[in-house]
Amino acid sequence: MVDEEIFIATLVPSGNTTPNSSMTLEQKIMFAFVILLFIFLCILIVHCFQILLTSMPTSAWADVLETRPV
């Protein structure tokens, strides 16, 4: 019975305290910074794939397929 009361007490805050669910200014800045880094990473990945696709000659795949032994 005591264990159950301790468990319930940890889940439910006491009546005189109000839960502060808002983020602090530092947390908001870090969240925005992480989102900007994620967007920057996605842009870099797309740009790298574009560079790889444009630099690869189209006949390279045909040459590999023709010279590969079956």
Side-chain angles (χ1 to χ4, degrees):
M1 186 70 175
V2 174
D3 291 336
E4 185 177 326
E5 291 174 359
I6 293 172
F7 180 71
I8 291 173
T10 57
L11 291 178
V12 179
S14 60
N16 59 358
T17 61
T18 58
N20 188 7
S21 63
S22 64
M23 294 172 53
T24 63
L25 180 62
E26 291 86 7
Q27 289 173 335
K28 290 178 183 178
I29 291 172
M30 288 307 298
F31 186 73
F33 183 69
V34 168
I35 295 296
L36 286 175
L37 281 178
F38 183 72
I39 292 171
F40 183 68
L41 177 66
C42 291
I43 291 171
L44 281 179
I45 289 173
V46 169
H47 187 65
C48 288
F49 274 116
Q50 287 177 348
I51 290 173
L52 284 174
L53 290 176
T54 56
S55 66
M56 184 182 303
T58 56
S59 63
W61 289 106
D63 293 341
V64 170
L65 292 176
E66 288 175 3
T67 58
R68 188 176 74 177
V70 178

